[in-house]
Amino acid sequence: MPQAYIGVDVGTTSTRAGVFDEAGNLLATARHPIRIWHEAGDIVEQSSSDIWDACAKSVRAAMAEAGVAPDTVRGIGFDATCSLVVLGKDGEPVTVSASGDSQRNVIVWMDHRATTEARLINETQDDVLRYVGGSISPEMEMPKLLWLKRHLRQSFDAAGHFFDLADYLTWRATGSLQRSTCTVTCKWNYLAHDDGGGWSAPFFRRIGLSDFVGENYARIGTEIVAPGTRLDSGLTRAAAADLGLSVGTPVGASLIDAHAGGIGAIGGRDGSGGTADVCDRLAYIMGTSACIMATTTQPCFVPGVWGPYYSGMVPNFWLNEGGQSAAGAAIDHLLRSHAGYAEASTAARKDGLDIIDFLEKRIIARAGDVSRAALLARDVHVLPEFIGNRSPYADPDTRAVIAGLDLDTDIGAMERLFVAGLCGLAYGLAEVIEAFAAHGVHSSIMIMGGGASRSPLVRQIMADTTGLTVALPQTREPVLLGAAMLGAVAGGAFASIGETMAKMSALGRLSEPTAPGMAEFHSRKRKAYKMLREVDRGSREAMAGFELMLPG
């Protein structure tokens, strides 16, 4: 009987489910939106119940599309954004919102309410911070937990469980309180290596969260397992009914969404017949944000870059994780803010395209060559850091800067801004790769995943800027595949994540050679990019300490 595996991916605005066969071939996908609340003060919240319901709808729709029966599904895996879920002692939602709405019980990864708490934690200079590049981010969970304790103490005290979103999903599926090494190591400051000691009591006491020490870490996880580990007895009766699957279907311990993309991409077969060297392959997973992930056999400490994390992505390897807090979100904001957006959207709809595909088609046709298309942004320069710099400067207060705008409002002007934004993202990526190399982390090929990876223009600009060959995974859904691999390991189809990567994934198309003169072009534009960073820093310094503000 054919066997199938399901991957469930929870992004910032939607859930997706993918059904794969044992060889990693995609049989069907489905998507369902999730609710999100945005408020002033960088507050972004969601509902864990709404997210689970959306997961169930996605799985049922994907199963129907694939035409597979529940008893052919031999495993399921979940990945999600690194958002904080708060539940009561009986699993009921506990509010994280000033509104008091209990359904708003998720602090989304991109919520920056805890910037002050992140600074307070960083001021301790605790040794644990060495494993997050020397500086914790407000996107991580300890600043968020400290914010809850300081500002919503009633919710903090009422909580019976604090979960990373991916671990919440496996708990909802199985009832297991086990956490994944991926989530707690990468976002909760757990030290998973042999001499790391796990949770650090001195660290918690130093940052003002000694509560967790006193309760023996019961609310944040006492049993940590590798991604893909089979959890309890599989799907509970209630979860199986929700998802339309069989009771007892194996469930694998989870991954963060970008890390699922890494698993689904970096171990793929390349046609040589040899075993892939995951340490020579950089993963760049680009969605709303972007993650830049390097795998090593030994720990490498890179200032401003998260990690090194032991078993943070590939079990028994170390992970360094650079990132861009706004990637797809930055491009989307640039386009929606442009005066030509309505005109371009109307034209794109007439052609049956989304706006980015529409713009890219026009740009490449005009340039005649995907590498030379970047010339369109010769005189427009963008530092696209709308919600801070994650790596390599670890500066959450960085903001975007644009130079070279004129009064043009047509689609042509919009195309120039679009390409300039892509170049800005590429230059930020190049800075992270250079920081890696300066501290002994080297790669010769970059595997791109996420929605933006399907763009030839994006891939080529990244290749031309970094000097690396850029490859696509053979599957068009590496994040979903990575999640499905967790189910394959849990179901016993393969003995390890490493074996699963080799059997279920392969590399696809490679980037084109850099056109003559384009390496020099990007080198010059990077000088302008660095000037924009200095403008951002200088402007903040100039206004520092000036407290007169309008109310509200």
Side-chain angles (χ1 to χ4, degrees):
M1 179 185 295
Q3 298 182 353
Y5 300 93
I6 293 177
V8 180
D9 166 53
V10 178
T12 305
T13 60
S14 66
T15 65
R16 301 184 303 142
V19 183
F20 296 83
D21 66 16
E22 199 169 13
N25 297 308
L26 180 64
L27 305 179
T29 64
R31 178 190 300 265
H32 196 276
I34 52 181
R35 189 171 183 186
I36 188 166
W37 290 270
H38 290 269
E39 292 190 2
D42 294 324
I43 289 174
V44 191
E45 296 164 349
Q46 289 177 327
S47 161
S48 63
S49 298
D50 176 66
I51 290 169
W52 177 257
D53 290 345
C55 288
K57 289 182 173 69
S58 296
V59 169
R60 285 179 170 273
M63 288 282 291
E65 178 69 23
V68 298
D71 61 359
T72 66
V73 176
R74 301 302 188 188
I76 184 171
F78 295 87
D79 73 73
T81 64
C82 50
S83 302
L84 176 68
V85 181
V86 185
L87 301 178
K89 295 176 178 60
D90 296 322
E92 72 279 10
V94 174
T95 187
V96 298
S97 174
S99 71
D101 182 353
S102 63
Q103 289 304 305
R104 294 166 67 166
N105 71 317
V106 179
I107 302 181
V108 180
W109 68 269
M110 66 194 302
D111 182 305
H112 276 210
R113 72 180 72 184
T115 298
T116 296
E117 285 70 24
R119 289 198 188 99
L120 291 173
I121 293 172
N122 287 327
E123 286 171 3
T124 69
Q125 298 184 346
D126 190 275
D127 192 58
V128 166
L129 299 176
R130 293 180 64 226
Y131 293 88
V132 289
S135 180
I136 201 167
S137 166
E139 296 175 17
M140 294 179 174
E141 309 303 8
M142 288 307 150
K144 290 178 167 65
L145 288 165
L146 185 57
W147 185 94
L148 279 175
K149 182 178 178 180
R150 297 177 75 208
H151 299 280
L152 283 179
R153 184 59 187 257
Q154 186 173 352
S155 291
F156 182 85
D157 290 342
H161 307 282
F162 295 107
F163 285 110
D164 214 76
L165 179 54
D167 290 327
Y168 161 79
L169 296 172
T170 57
W171 169 79
R172 187 71 184 258
T174 67
S176 172
L177 292 172
Q178 293 171 309
R179 267 65 160 192
S180 166
T181 52
C182 174
T183 58
V184 297
T185 303
C186 296
K187 305 303 173 188
W188 294 69
N189 302 106
Y190 182 86
L191 302 181
H193 48 288
D194 288 342
D195 58 350
W199 298 119
S200 169
F203 173 66
F204 282 111
R205 293 189 180 105
R206 208 164 274 141
I207 68 174
L209 289 173
S210 59
D211 315 66
F212 297 136
V213 181
E215 62 200 35
N216 198 28
Y217 312 109
R219 291 193 289 171
I220 60 174
T222 58
E223 189 175 356
I224 315 302
V225 298
T229 299
R230 183 168 180 166
L231 300 177
D232 280 9
S233 300
L235 288 180
T236 64
R237 188 169 300 278
D242 289 343
L243 299 170
L245 299 174
S246 300
V247 175
T249 299
V251 178
S254 65
L255 285 164
I256 298 166
D257 54 352
H259 301 61
I263 290 292
I266 65 169
R269 304 178 302 278
D270 63 4
S272 68
T275 301
D277 179 4
V278 296
C279 295
D280 190 48
R281 294 178 172 184
L282 197 69
Y284 183 58
I285 311 300
M286 184 177 172
T288 302
S289 61
C291 285
I292 308 143
M293 296 177 289
T295 303
T296 60
T297 58
Q298 299 296 319
C300 295
F301 293 87
V302 183
V305 172
W306 297 346
Y309 301 131
Y310 185 70
S311 291
M313 184 169 71
V314 182
N316 304 316
F317 284 83
W318 292 84
L319 171 70
N320 287 96
E321 181 188 343
Q324 294 165 304
S325 295
I331 298 302
D332 185 60
H333 185 70
L334 283 172
L335 296 182
R336 289 179 180 276
S337 300
H338 194 273
Y341 181 79
E343 178 187 357
S345 296
T346 300
R349 283 193 297 270
K350 285 182 179 178
D351 287 355
L353 299 171
D354 68 34
I355 190 166
I356 288 180
D357 289 341
F358 169 75
L359 293 175
E360 183 165 315
K361 182 179 179 181
R362 284 172 51 104
I363 289 164
I364 294 175
R366 177 177 172 183
D369 176 276
V370 68
S371 183
R372 290 175 56 82
L375 293 172
L376 197 62
R378 180 185 184 278
D379 298 315
V380 181
H381 312 285
V382 178
L383 176 72
E385 297 188 338
F386 290 94
I387 54 173
N389 177 272
R390 189 185 296 173
S391 307
Y393 303 107
D395 183 355
D397 295 324
T398 297
R399 289 298 179 264
V401 181
I402 303 172
L405 294 182
D406 53 29
L407 293 176
D408 288 348
T409 60
D410 59 8
I411 295 178
M414 191 176 185
E415 291 170 352
R416 293 192 291 275
L417 185 62
F418 171 54
V419 175
L422 294 180
C423 289
L425 290 175
Y427 305 151
L429 167 65
E431 288 183 330
V432 175
I433 292 173
E434 288 167 358
F436 281 160
H439 293 84
V441 181
H442 300 281
S443 305
S444 66
I445 187 169
M446 181 166 66
I447 319 298
M448 280 194 71
S453 68
R454 293 191 286 272
S455 160
L457 180 60
V458 171
R459 296 196 304 272
Q460 195 62 46
I461 288 175
M462 301 301 171
D464 293 347
T465 298
T466 63
L468 298 178
T469 298
V470 174
L472 273 178
Q474 193 172 81
T475 180
R476 61 184 176 88
E477 295 289 358
V479 177
L480 287 173
L481 176 59
M485 287 178 177
L486 300 174
V489 175
F494 305 103
S496 67
I497 290 290
E499 181 185 351
T500 311
M501 290 192 294
K503 297 292 187 181
M504 292 184 73
S505 63
L507 298 188
R509 182 181 302 175
L510 303 180
S511 55
E512 300 293 329
T514 301
M518 291 309 297
E520 172 65 18
F521 170 79
H522 287 294
S523 177
R524 293 196 181 203
K525 271 188 72 69
R526 283 192 67 188
K527 292 179 181 178
Y529 175 86
K530 291 176 181 178
M531 292 177 190
L532 299 188
R533 188 172 299 286
E534 292 306 313
V535 168
D536 169 63
R537 289 173 176 162
S539 63
R540 284 185 281 145
E541 290 174 3
M543 300 308 296
F546 187 78
E547 298 180 356
L548 187 61
M549 297 178 67
L550 290 174

